[in-house]
Amino acid sequence: MTEEKTKAFYSLFEEMAYHITRLEDFNREAFVDCLKRICELFEIAKGVTEFYLTPKHENDHDGEMLIDYDNGHGDVIVMQRRIVTRSKAVLIGTLYASKDAAPLDEEEREKLDLLLRTLLSFVSRNRLIQVVEQLGFNDEQGFPNLRSYIRYLNTMQEKKKLTAMTVACLNLRHFGVINQEIGRPLGDKVMRGYFELLQKAVGESGVACRMGGDNFILCFEKKLVDQVLQVTMGKAIAYDSKNDKKVMVSASAGLFSIPEDFVLDGPGFLLDRIMNAVGMARQGANGHVVFYDESVSRRRQVIQRLQGDFPKALKEREFHVYYQPKVNVETGELEGAEALCRWIKDGKIVSPGDFIPALEQGLEICDLDYYMLDRVCEDIARWLKEGRNVVRISVNFSRKHLVETDMLEHILEVVDKHQIPHEYIEVELTETTTDVEFKDLTRVVMGLRSEGIYTAVDDFGMGYSSLNLIREIPWHVIKIDRSLLPATEADEESITGLMYKHVVSMIRELGMNCVTEGVETKRQVDLLRNTRCLVAQGFYFDKPLPVQEFENRLDKQFYSLFL
Ligand code: C2E
Ligand code: MG
Ligand code: MG
């Protein structure tokens, strides 16, 4: 090795050392250029470094390979160094030369050895810093975590950009059921796929993180709100591309638009707001999308109070059954009734709309539904004993029950405890939105049917009606929601009127019974009769009645149709 070459090497080596010790403003371009000149000096054609987190990763070839220099003539390996760090990471550096290059002398090999080792310790330090970051800012499944969200908020605050942002908390809807249905590993894949869509929606300038389970937090520019909400409304995610299998994933979203005068002081304030809002959204408020304002936190407090009061209220029998008659519009005969819950709290009647959504947040609703069934059976048993005319009573069951595996057994246990003939009981269930729920629903309805208990679809025509729901599941009764029933003469001629008539005739052709809810006027009764929906439930005949009043209707049996 000539003296000149030695000098040139040291000068380049010093330059490289300068670059790799500049931690705060590492200049990769200058560093790579320096390496390139060293390689040229020694006629090295290609330099490669490999990094493996552990020897096992090395064995499995699961690591990273960096090619820092390659002039395309690297035919033979001239030097290779493998080092194992104290933390057991493995680094391999390899230098290649063209087969026509002059062989290296002893001194040259010494210099290259120094170069390689320096390079490897630099790469190892760099990679390990990244690994530590990875561990600190990501969860065990590799999703960015809450810390990375907080870091992002702080950066945006420093850049004075935070007030241009919206923060959001999302909770995936029915994800537990999806997991149950397609299995955990595919469930993970679906979650990953959905998360990628969220990341895309928040864009380069935003951030999406997971807060554990199926909860996510986002921060994104205000102008991207619609884009993000498109993803929360629902996207089909493929989980088995071979068989083209997809599942619909949607999320409840709580959002907070950061106000102009906002100053970040820890993440608590923002988290508090979006968690409150997502709590409301999860109950189905406003189509599962809630923007935080002060009323959200007030409503939240009300819900928590209701949930807290529930166990005692149930024990003290504060929930009462009201019966709303169902009437045959051709004969005026009382055909059945729906049991509706009323909470008599401090002497005041509270309507289900004010407490059912709160109870549906947890599993309290399930307890309430079984309690209602129990009270209904108690009444029927008494009526039978008293020799009264008895009609079939329908009881509402929340969708929350669908995940229970013993719903059927539980219902039978209650009904049989009171020795009620099964045909006196009807179970009302609402429509479902996902394929997975659909399967659970089929299982439950078939089970009830085989036991002789009647089943009804509640609120048909509201929300996400799926024709599959009535084509593939053998319901006894379809209850048409009042939003589909024309209210005026003009409505009868409109699209609503047309739909109503066709829905009724479709249900009849499928051999199911049809009940229309919310019948309030004589005109509507006539419409039902003409459309041949034979059963009406609504204020025209009666409001939901306390039990003694309903017993009068049972005794009378008929309504006069010509009021
Ligand atoms: P739903 O099952 O669709 O019950 C019918 C609702 O429509 C009742 O409201 C009833 O009072 C109302 N309604 C009946 N006729 C008319 C009418 O002519 N005009 C108008 N505007 N409304 C009419 P309610 O009792 O407030 O119940 C609301 C909802 O709460 C029920 O809707 C049901 O989804 C739920 N719910 C009630 N009791 C229970 C229960 O024990 N368990 C469960 N899971 N849900 C219940
Ligand atoms: Mg109902
Ligand atoms: Mg209904």
Side-chain angles (χ1 to χ4, degrees):
M1 188 168 172
T2 63
E3 198 175 317
E4 203 179 325
K5 202 166 172 181
T6 308
K7 248 179 154 172
F9 169 74
Y10 279 120
S11 139
L12 284 168
F13 188 74
E14 204 174 301
E15 192 181 329
M16 186 181 86
Y18 168 81
H19 288 305
I20 63 181
T21 49
R22 301 284 299 189
L23 285 178
E24 19 0 288
D25 53 355
F26 175 64
N27 182 343
R28 186 173 165 82
E29 233 167 79
F31 164 73
V32 170
D33 179 64
C34 180
L35 265 186
K36 179 175 158 238
R37 281 181 285 144
I38 299 179
C39 288
E40 280 164 359
L41 186 68
F42 291 94
E43 287 189 74
I44 296 298
K46 180 171 149 186
V48 176
T49 50
E50 291 160 68
F51 174 84
Y52 303 97
L53 199 51
T54 64
K56 181 171 183 309
H57 284 82
E58 181 190 11
N59 245 333
D60 301 343
H61 301 285
D62 175 12
E64 283 169 80
M65 182 182 278
L66 292 165
I67 300 175
D68 290 311
Y69 176 66
D70 186 2
N71 69 8
H73 299 291
D75 308 318
V76 287
I77 293 180
V78 290
M79 185 175 288
Q80 185 166 60
R81 293 287 174 265
R82 176 177 179 276
I83 59 169
V84 182
T85 69
R86 258 197 298 181
S87 67
K88 297 281 176 281
V90 178
L91 289 118
I92 301 170
T94 312
L95 300 176
Y96 297 79
S98 139
K99 55 186 184 319
D100 308 323
L104 300 166
D105 69 19
E106 188 68 14
E107 208 189 331
E108 284 168 332
R109 294 189 69 82
E110 226 171 69
K111 303 279 178 291
L112 283 178
D113 181 62
L114 173 68
L115 173 79
L116 257 188
R117 287 178 186 281
T118 313
L119 214 60
L120 289 182
S121 77
F122 169 65
V123 171
S124 105
R125 191 192 59 199
N126 246 354
R127 304 315 288 157
L128 288 173
I129 288 175
Q130 277 182 26
V131 169
V132 170
E133 282 238 323
Q134 172 80 13
L135 292 177
F137 289 99
N138 292 273
D139 66 14
E140 63 291 351
Q141 278 160 281
F143 291 101
N145 63 12
L146 186 60
R147 285 184 56 198
S148 85
Y149 179 73
I150 294 169
R151 177 176 61 176
Y152 173 87
L153 290 184
N154 286 329
T155 318
M156 294 313 271
Q157 164 99 329
E158 274 163 31
K159 292 185 180 164
K160 303 215 178 332
K161 284 189 179 163
L162 205 51
T163 53
M165 314 297 280
T166 291
V167 281
C169 182
L170 311 185
N171 177 266
L172 302 189
R173 297 180 55 201
H174 321 290
F175 205 74
V177 193
I178 292 179
N179 264 333
Q180 215 175 47
E181 195 62 25
I182 64 175
R184 202 59 201 232
L186 288 178
D188 287 348
K189 197 168 161 187
V190 167
M191 186 182 283
R192 169 70 57 186
Y194 189 71
F195 181 73
E196 280 164 12
L197 292 183
L198 288 173
Q199 275 183 317
K200 216 162 124 195
V202 301
E204 294 278 314
S205 56
V207 71
C209 301
R210 187 165 86 146
M211 268 211 305
D214 58 355
N215 297 298
F216 296 88
I217 33 178
L218 319 175
C219 182
F220 49 87
E221 287 180 63
K222 286 177 180 165
K223 61 176 191 233
L224 298 177
V225 163
D226 287 342
Q227 202 165 302
V228 171
L229 289 182
Q230 290 237 321
V231 181
T232 70
M233 304 292 191
K235 290 276 178 197
I237 308 289
Y239 62 92
D240 177 354
S241 47
K242 247 193 274 145
N243 299 310
D244 195 30
K245 287 213 167 130
K246 289 183 181 158
V247 61
M248 242 354 227
V249 183
S250 60
S252 303
L255 303 102
F256 180 62
S257 177
I258 299 180
E260 286 306 321
D261 54 358
F262 181 76
V263 181
L264 186 69
D265 177 21
F269 182 86
L270 295 179
L271 276 177
D272 200 47
R273 271 146 189 75
I274 54 179
M275 307 270 277
N276 266 325
V278 79
M280 300 298 302
R282 287 183 68 170
Q283 289 167 52
N286 192 31
H288 296 277
V289 176
V290 173
F291 278 87
Y292 180 90
D293 61 30
E294 289 310 315
S295 68
V296 167
S297 96
R298 277 198 301 277
R299 266 181 296 175
R300 184 91 195 138
Q301 283 164 5
V302 170
I303 287 169
Q304 279 167 355
R305 217 178 33 243
L306 283 175
Q307 283 176 333
D309 291 348
F310 175 76
K312 186 159 166 275
L314 193 65
K315 218 169 94 210
E316 298 187 352
R317 294 171 73 96
E318 289 182 13
F319 295 98
H320 294 256
V321 185
Y322 274 48
Y323 292 93
Q324 186 173 35
K326 296 177 199 167
V327 179
N328 184 309
V329 290
E330 279 198 324
T331 62
E333 188 171 8
L334 175 69
E335 290 244 331
E338 175 173 8
L340 291 157
C341 187
R342 296 292 178 268
W343 186 350
I344 307 201
K345 196 167 178 271
D346 310 322
K348 282 196 227 81
I349 299 180
V350 189
S351 279
D354 296 330
F355 62 86
I356 299 260
L359 300 183
E360 277 186 325
Q361 286 246 303
L363 290 176
E364 285 94 352
I365 188 66
C366 297
D367 294 339
L368 179 69
D369 289 342
Y370 289 123
Y371 173 84
M372 287 289 289
L373 178 65
D374 192 57
R375 296 285 306 263
V376 165
C377 290
E378 229 173 76
D379 286 342
I380 296 178
R382 197 184 65 251
W383 297 331
L384 288 170
K385 212 168 92 198
E386 293 166 352
R388 280 202 156 95
N389 162 51
V390 178
V391 292
R392 183 174 305 126
I393 307 294
S394 62
V395 180
N396 291 284
F397 273 78
S398 161
R399 271 204 230 160
K400 283 266 163 176
H401 291 277
L402 289 182
V403 289
E404 294 177 278
T405 49
D406 62 346
M407 178 179 179
L408 179 64
E409 288 75 17
H410 201 155
I411 290 179
L412 289 173
E413 191 191 311
V414 176
V415 176
D416 292 341
K417 183 177 84 185
H418 296 276
Q419 298 177 313
I420 306 293
H422 293 182
E423 78 261 21
Y424 284 133
I425 304 294
E426 181 171 309
V427 169
E428 290 193 13
L429 291 157
T430 47
E431 304 170 47
T432 62
T433 45
T434 63
D435 290 359
V436 182
E437 272 195 346
F438 193 88
K439 286 198 178 152
D440 286 312
L441 197 60
T442 313
R443 175 175 55 77
V444 166
V445 172
M446 296 300 252
L448 289 167
R449 193 178 181 97
S450 71
E451 290 291 340
I453 290 178
Y454 279 62
T455 54
V457 179
D458 201 356
D459 304 340
F460 185 79
M462 185 177 135
Y464 310 80
S465 298
S466 128
L467 290 181
N468 272 349
L469 180 81
I470 57 172
R471 194 180 59 200
E472 289 181 18
I473 306 183
W475 303 93
H476 292 98
V477 179
I478 309 293
K479 297 187 79 180
I480 303 178
D481 189 68
R482 68 165 176 275
S483 59
L484 218 60
L485 175 67
T488 60
E489 191 177 347
D491 281 352
E492 283 173 31
E493 304 306 321
S494 72
I495 299 274
T496 317
L498 206 65
M499 272 177 63
Y500 175 74
K501 284 176 198 159
H502 283 283
V503 166
V504 172
S505 67
M506 177 181 69
I507 293 169
R508 287 176 56 85
E509 275 170 43
L510 288 167
M512 297 173 190
N513 297 312
C514 184
V515 176
T516 300
E517 299 182 87
V519 176
E520 294 181 348
T521 62
K522 170 94 173 51
R523 189 173 178 96
Q524 287 174 325
V525 176
D526 293 339
L527 176 68
L528 261 69
R529 197 182 302 113
N530 294 335
T531 317
R532 309 215 41 78
C533 171
L534 297 186
V535 182
Q537 179 183 338
F539 296 167
Y540 178 75
F541 294 106
D542 264 317
K543 288 198 162 69
L545 305 169
V547 64
Q548 296 83 357
E549 270 184 67
F550 177 64
E551 285 169 358
N552 293 336
R553 305 294 190 277
L554 277 179
D555 296 345
K556 221 171 62 185
Q557 242 186 56
F558 281 93
Y559 283 75
S560 164
L561 290 175
F562 311 102
L563 296 172

